[in-house]
Amino acid sequence: MSIKSSIKETVGAAEEELGEAVHNDKMADKGRALRNEGRIGNGKLPKTSVPGSEK
């Protein structure tokens, strides 16, 4: 588990949430991609659902 991957996952999650809040699908998708990059770096499975579908 690397710090860099943890930061990517956290920043990606924040960007995804912000994109969902302002109804910007492109931002949410970009955040999800960054989040998944961090998750993979930490040995976790990537999130595969559509951003905004999990509450």
Side-chain angles (χ1 to χ4, degrees), residues 5-55:
S5 293
S6 295
I7 291 170
K8 281 184 177 183
E9 185 177 355
T10 303
V11 170
E15 185 173 1
E16 181 181 350
E17 292 294 325
L18 180 61
E20 292 170 10
V22 297
H23 305 292
N24 185 336
D25 292 336
K26 188 175 180 180
M27 181 187 286
D29 289 338
K30 183 180 170 191
R32 174 61 64 95
L34 185 61
R35 183 180 193 179
N36 281 337
E37 188 177 326
R39 288 178 64 82
I40 291 169
N42 282 332
K44 299 178 185 174
L45 293 175
K47 298 232 177 231
T48 57
S49 61
V50 177
S53 63
E54 298 175 25
K55 295 291 176 181

